[in-house]
Amino acid sequence: MKSLYSIVRIGNIALLVWIGLGAAYAQQLAATDKNTLRGYVREAQTGSALPGVTVSIASLGIGTTTDMNGYYSIALPARPFVKIAFSFIGYKTESMATDITSNVDLNVEMQPQHTTLKEVVVKSHSGTSSKVSESVQMSSVSVPIQQIKEIPSLLGEKDIIKALQLMPGVQKGAEGSTGMYVRGGGPDQNLVLLDDAPIYNTSHLFGFFSLFNGDAIQSVNLTKGGFAAHHGGRLYSIIEMDMKDGDQHKVHGEGGIGLISSRFTLDGPIKKGKSSFLVSGRRTYADLVLSPFVAEMKNNTGYFYDLNLKASFDVTPDDYVSISAYNGNDHFKYKTNSKLSNESGSLNWGNTAATLRWKHRFSPGLSLTTSAVYSQYHSLARMNRDVVNEEEKTTYHLNNQSDIRDLIFKSDVTWIPSTQHVLKTGITATSHLFTPASTTTVGNQHEAVSGNAVQLKGLEGAVYVEDTYSPIPALKINAGLRVSGFQGETKTYVQPEPRLAIAYTMPYNWAVKASYASMSQYVHLLTNSGIGLPTDLWIPASDHTAPQFSQQIAFGIAKDMHSGLSFTAEGFYKTMDNMVAYKEGSSSLSFGTANAGNWEDQITQGKGWSYGAEFLLQKKTGRFTGWAGYTLSWTQQQFDELNFGKKFWARYDRRHDVSLVGIYHLNKNVTLSASYVYGTGQAMTLPKGQYWIQGNSSVKTLGETKNYYTGRVFQEFGQRNNFRAAAYQRLDVGVQFHKSKNGHGRTWEISLYNATNHQNPFFYYFDATDVSTVAGTKNVVNTLKQVTLFPVLPSVSYNFKF
């Protein structure tokens, strides 16, 4: 415990040092002839903060970008007249002149750029613009929320996660699922943050939809590599989402009615010009509509809902406070009856998160952001099953529980001592409480089985420092060190994580980039499904289960074109250590039972490799927008206790992955869209042979007697993941009809999911058929069959805004 507390103490000292240096810097700045230009940039119609807006003074070659609260601050030499430009994709560029002979507060409201107008090409001399060729960050992609709302989707449900699955380096899981596999990693190796709160399960409806309502989200960014030191906690990716701030001036509402769910969002001022609120909710309604009329729905039904809340306060010109919360849950129950078995069960899972965030500016170049976060994930699966075997009826009871509670404190300091340096440091401390339980019992009554859940505690912490240094305008270097640690029951892990990224800008908007990053992960997900079912179990690192660790190098080029296109190409190589999997023959851990034994004896750890190349051509402005992406990659794993210790292709290894997305604004009333994806089939393990042991041919079924063949089937397996599923491909098309009048808007959308009706595999099984033509003998032939989940699916939805 002392080692981890040392990290916390170092972090506190670092914060105090930075604050002291910042105060000294502020005093030094006051003694020079420099003044400060600062303010907020907001959307004119809603008053929402606009992060990432480029603020540039071309005559001085100085610029910056707004932070997540829409705030900017620039130290400028005293001038009686300077011209300032504010530019942002999707908004009209605002240019104005002001006197900088003293400190100036300048707030700006930007007007959305109508999609049918000619696109604006933003030219900036600041070196801090949003151009991919001028940013030191690599392996990072973002999708504008408006584009996400225009991409055709399954049953009309706009889904942020599925939009990210269309990016290079990101692979989808099973058909229709929201599982993400980034550069060879599993779903648990992606850190998903909603206003700094980690979300452990991002799926609604068994993974067919994600829990993020696009109407409540302001921005989304995916980082796949080249991590800066302030990022940490997972091996493969960081997905950052921020909720929208409400309008500080007017009340607004928007919503939609679809085939499976409806949603509604309301935002407006609490105190005009000072504070705002946002409330957003979504719920499915099949259970409400069908249950009264369809008898089977009473025993086989389910629903999901989610709710987003946020309140934002501009307490002073230098203090911003926000409170945000999320709650979402899925509830399902089922009951089946057959002659040889009866089964009933229920599945419930959900996430709850809350964030209190305070941002304070000590001086124009020094700011502090502090967050207190609560995150909780819970899942509970229960099943009762009657099975007939050898003239006996046996009742099995299954109870599977996986609960996580995180209490998080984090604080980050940003100091800009000059136009050449942007320094950041911070500390994060997380108190984990894991409560897994997996119990299977046999009895004669349908009794609710609940194992004695085991509580596994852990304390995770990290401290970091980084500097983005630009010795010359064409060269940017981001160097940093993150030191993370984890305290389990008796053992402490401490891991240094160095980071380095370099970008050099060349003529004609070309740039070359390179990066190195090491990452540590102190939580593990044990799964057999590969699609993030709520029966998967989360466990922390422990005395015998080491934390995961990865190292990644990447090299790439980037180019911005005058037409609004940007192009990036990257090659990457990553190694992983201490990955977790079940041992052969294990399918779940036994917690809370007398004969459970040591659960760590049922799992094994190994290593992995992932390498490949990614290409992305993207356009975010103009009447025609979209992107084309291609990924070529290889992912292998090796465990001493799996596959005879030999390397094998990972389940999510995919050699080729192609995605094409196009959105065309035909006019102000009609938007056309289409997306096409192609991917090499997943690797999976199938038996290469099987045999039977004859059972009793006369059994008592549930309520009647009849002859059945009850031989037990044994399967023989070869190499792990020795079979490659058929390639996946899908074309989706959609059209939106818009109408706006007196500040009210409505949109009808018609779309086709899998428009070509391609038969994509969901899973495979063997069908045994007796083809014998001789009485009294059997000639059983096994045929491999494919199950396809979604044929062509039309959908229609109605969306409104006021």
Side-chain angles (χ1 to χ4, degrees):
M1 205 70 171
K2 291 182 179 179
S3 299
L4 199 57
Y5 285 143
S6 297
I7 295 175
V8 176
R9 285 198 297 269
I10 292 171
N12 286 328
I13 293 171
L15 290 177
L16 292 174
V17 170
W18 281 110
I19 291 173
L21 289 173
Y25 163 72
Q27 293 176 358
Q28 179 186 0
L29 182 64
T32 67
D33 61 347
K34 287 191 175 183
N35 294 311
T36 302
L37 173 68
R38 65 183 183 180
Y40 288 92
V41 181
R42 301 184 184 276
E43 187 181 68
Q45 295 181 354
T46 67
S48 298
L50 290 177
V53 174
T54 299
V55 184
S56 59
I57 299 93
S59 61
L60 300 177
I62 298 174
T64 187
T65 57
T66 58
D67 64 14
M68 62 184 179
N69 304 314
Y71 180 83
Y72 71 95
S73 177
I74 312 177
L76 300 172
R79 293 287 189 277
F81 176 87
V82 293
K83 188 175 181 181
I84 308 152
F86 298 83
S87 56
F88 190 53
I89 291 174
Y91 291 81
K92 297 178 182 178
T93 298
E94 302 287 343
S95 298
M96 56 195 69
T98 189
D99 188 335
I100 308 293
T101 55
S102 61
N103 294 334
V104 176
D105 289 324
L106 181 61
N107 297 326
V108 176
E109 292 186 343
M110 299 188 71
Q111 297 285 346
Q113 176 186 328
H114 201 286
T115 54
T116 59
L117 298 178
K118 289 184 177 180
E119 60 190 273
V120 176
V121 178
V122 179
K123 296 182 179 181
S124 171
H125 301 271
S126 67
T128 56
S129 76
S130 58
K131 291 182 177 180
V132 295
S133 62
E134 295 182 348
S135 171
V136 70
Q137 178 65 58
M138 66 183 305
S139 305
S140 179
V141 295
S142 64
V143 183
I145 295 297
Q146 185 57 38
Q147 277 193 346
I148 293 175
K149 292 182 177 181
E150 293 172 340
I151 298 172
S153 56
L154 176 64
L155 296 176
E157 288 292 308
K158 303 307 179 183
D159 199 310
I160 292 173
I161 298 297
K162 288 186 178 178
L164 293 177
Q165 289 176 344
L166 297 171
M167 286 294 179
V170 183
Q171 299 171 10
K172 65 194 299 296
E175 165 71 50
S177 78
T178 56
M180 285 182 57
Y181 301 88
V182 179
R183 289 185 172 178
D188 63 311
Q189 293 162 331
N190 307 314
L191 178 60
V192 181
L193 296 174
L194 180 63
D195 278 359
D196 285 336
I199 304 298
Y200 283 88
N201 190 313
T202 62
S203 298
H204 277 317
L205 196 62
F206 302 100
F208 294 127
F209 304 103
S210 79
L211 51 80
F212 302 110
N213 183 351
D215 292 344
I217 302 299
Q218 172 72 31
S219 61
V220 55
N221 188 76
L222 167 66
T223 303
K224 302 175 290 183
F227 302 99
H230 63 270
H231 283 142
R234 297 294 189 274
L235 296 191
Y236 277 88
S237 77
I238 310 291
I239 303 169
E240 299 170 284
M241 284 175 280
D242 287 314
M243 287 192 209
K244 291 194 300 187
D245 287 334
D247 192 335
Q248 293 188 351
H249 305 289
K250 296 180 181 180
V251 175
H252 296 274
E254 64 178 308
I257 301 172
L259 293 180
I260 68 166
S261 71
S262 291
R263 66 188 191 279
F264 181 70
T265 301
L266 185 70
D267 69 280
I270 298 174
K271 183 178 180 180
K272 284 194 174 182
K274 292 292 184 180
S275 56
S276 64
F277 73 90
L278 179 141
V279 180
S280 182
R282 177 176 57 161
R283 193 192 192 279
T284 57
Y285 37 66
D287 60 313
L288 301 176
V289 175
L290 297 179
S291 291
F293 306 102
V294 182
E296 290 79 4
M297 288 293 292
K298 295 180 180 179
N299 295 320
N300 298 276
T301 187
Y303 66 92
F304 71 78
Y305 72 86
D306 46 53
L307 178 67
N308 295 79
L309 304 170
K310 187 171 185 179
S312 306
F313 306 88
D314 292 335
V315 182
T316 72
D318 292 318
D319 291 278
Y320 167 87
V321 175
S322 68
I323 304 171
S324 60
Y326 169 85
N327 179 252
N329 283 277
D330 284 69
H331 299 272
F332 290 90
K333 65 177 181 179
Y334 68 95
K335 186 174 184 180
T336 62
N337 296 298
S338 68
K339 293 181 178 180
L340 287 178
S341 68
N342 292 335
E343 186 174 317
S344 63
S346 63
L347 296 97
N348 304 284
W349 72 93
N351 298 268
T352 300
T355 301
L356 173 62
R357 181 186 284 164
W358 169 52
K359 181 165 187 176
H360 175 72
R361 278 167 288 277
F362 296 95
S363 67
L366 181 68
S367 63
L368 169 70
T369 301
T370 301
S371 300
V373 179
Y374 171 84
S375 177
Q376 188 255 346
Y377 166 69
H378 69 90
S379 71
L380 178 62
R382 286 177 173 168
M383 183 191 75
N384 296 293
R385 187 179 187 188
D386 295 324
V387 179
V388 173
N389 185 23
E390 302 295 338
E391 300 186 357
E392 293 183 358
K393 183 180 77 173
T394 305
T395 301
Y396 295 91
H397 308 282
L398 168 68
N399 179 84
N400 189 288
Q401 174 185 342
S402 185
D403 292 353
I404 308 170
R405 186 232 60 200
D406 286 348
L407 299 176
I408 304 169
F409 172 82
K410 62 177 300 186
S411 191
D412 303 276
V413 175
T414 301
W415 180 31
I416 309 175
S418 68
T419 57
Q420 290 183 310
H421 292 274
V422 178
L423 294 146
K424 292 184 179 181
T425 187
I427 183 172
T428 301
T430 303
S431 173
H432 295 289
L433 178 61
F434 294 80
T435 313
S438 181
T439 306
T440 302
T441 61
V442 179
N444 295 319
Q445 301 294 327
H446 282 263
E447 53 193 17
V449 179
S450 179
N452 297 320
V454 176
Q455 288 193 342
L456 305 173
K457 298 179 180 180
L459 180 63
E460 182 178 349
V463 60
Y464 75 88
V465 61
E466 67 177 79
D467 181 18
T468 301
Y469 174 51
S470 182
I472 58 175
L475 179 64
K476 292 185 179 64
I477 302 170
N478 179 276
L481 175 66
R482 181 184 185 92
V483 180
S484 63
F486 184 85
Q487 173 66 57
E489 294 296 327
T490 60
K491 190 172 183 178
T492 299
Y493 298 95
V494 177
Q495 184 65 54
E497 303 172 22
R499 315 286 174 80
L500 179 65
I502 302 173
Y504 183 76
T505 304
M506 299 182 295
Y508 305 105
N509 291 323
W510 280 96
V512 292
K513 302 183 181 184
S515 67
Y516 166 83
S518 63
M519 301 283 278
S520 299
Q521 179 173 328
Y522 299 99
V523 296
H524 307 291
L525 179 66
L526 289 166
T527 176
N528 273 328
S529 65
I531 58 175
L533 289 177
T535 54
D536 297 336
L537 293 175
W538 287 89
I539 58 172
S542 65
D543 293 355
H544 303 288
T545 305
Q548 301 178 63
F549 180 72
S550 72
Q551 298 185 81
Q552 181 178 195
I553 57 173
F555 176 82
I557 59 173
K559 178 174 174 58
D560 291 286
M561 308 174 198
H562 291 295
S563 59
L565 286 168
S566 63
F567 173 74
T568 58
E570 292 185 14
F572 68 92
Y573 182 85
K574 173 174 280 191
T575 61
M576 298 81 71
D577 291 298
N578 301 324
M579 302 178 71
V580 175
Y582 285 119
K583 290 182 179 179
E584 298 286 7
S586 299
S587 59
S588 65
L589 303 186
S590 296
F591 290 95
T593 60
N595 59 350
N598 186 355
W599 60 269
E600 291 178 305
D601 292 338
Q602 303 176 58
I603 61 177
T604 182
Q605 292 192 278
K607 51 189 176 181
W609 301 264
S610 182
Y611 49 94
E614 302 167 1
F615 305 87
L616 175 65
L617 182 67
Q618 188 173 22
K619 191 172 188 292
K620 296 183 180 180
T621 60
R623 293 178 63 177
F624 179 79
T625 60
W627 64 87
Y630 171 68
T631 304
L632 173 67
S633 64
W634 292 262
T635 302
Q636 288 183 300
Q637 295 179 352
Q638 185 177 30
F639 295 78
D640 290 341
E641 299 183 69
L642 298 179
N643 200 48
F644 307 102
K646 299 178 181 179
K647 289 183 179 180
F648 58 89
W649 298 113
R651 175 185 175 91
Y652 31 85
D653 170 71
R654 179 173 287 178
R655 197 70 59 247
H656 305 283
D657 195 89
V658 178
S659 60
L660 304 172
V661 177
I663 302 167
Y664 182 67
H665 296 271
L666 187 63
N667 53 51
K668 67 178 183 179
N669 295 322
V670 181
T671 300
L672 307 176
S673 60
S675 64
Y676 172 78
V677 293
Y678 171 88
T680 302
Q682 289 186 332
M684 58 183 63
T685 305
L686 291 181
K688 63 179 184 180
Q690 66 181 32
Y691 56 92
W692 287 262
I693 295 180
Q694 179 66 50
N696 194 325
S697 62
S698 177
V699 299
K700 292 181 179 179
T701 61
L702 299 175
E704 62 179 278
T705 301
K706 192 174 182 179
N707 289 333
Y708 288 92
Y709 179 78
T710 60
R712 295 186 62 189
V713 179
F714 291 86
Q715 295 177 326
E716 181 183 351
F717 294 88
Q719 295 288 323
R720 195 176 183 91
N721 291 341
N722 57 358
F723 176 79
R724 186 69 67 167
Y728 182 94
Q729 54 181 311
R730 192 187 76 244
L731 172 68
D732 305 331
V733 296
V735 57
Q736 294 181 342
F737 301 96
H738 312 279
K739 188 174 183 180
S740 182
K741 186 177 182 181
N742 299 326
H744 297 263
R746 64 109 173 110
T747 299
W748 281 99
E749 179 177 7
I750 301 172
S751 65
L752 288 177
Y753 180 88
N754 193 16
T756 59
N757 197 32
H758 189 79
Q759 304 299 299
N760 290 305
F762 183 62
F763 67 86
Y764 291 87
Y765 71 96
F766 283 101
D767 185 24
T769 304
D770 184 4
V771 297
S772 175
T773 58
V774 180
T777 63
K778 290 183 177 294
N779 182 14
V780 178
V781 176
N782 270 338
T783 304
L784 181 64
K785 293 191 175 181
Q786 169 186 304
V787 174
T788 296
L789 196 60
F790 295 121
V792 55
L793 284 178
S795 68
V796 59
S797 61
Y798 174 76
N799 303 289
F800 58 88
K801 182 181 291 189
F802 61 87

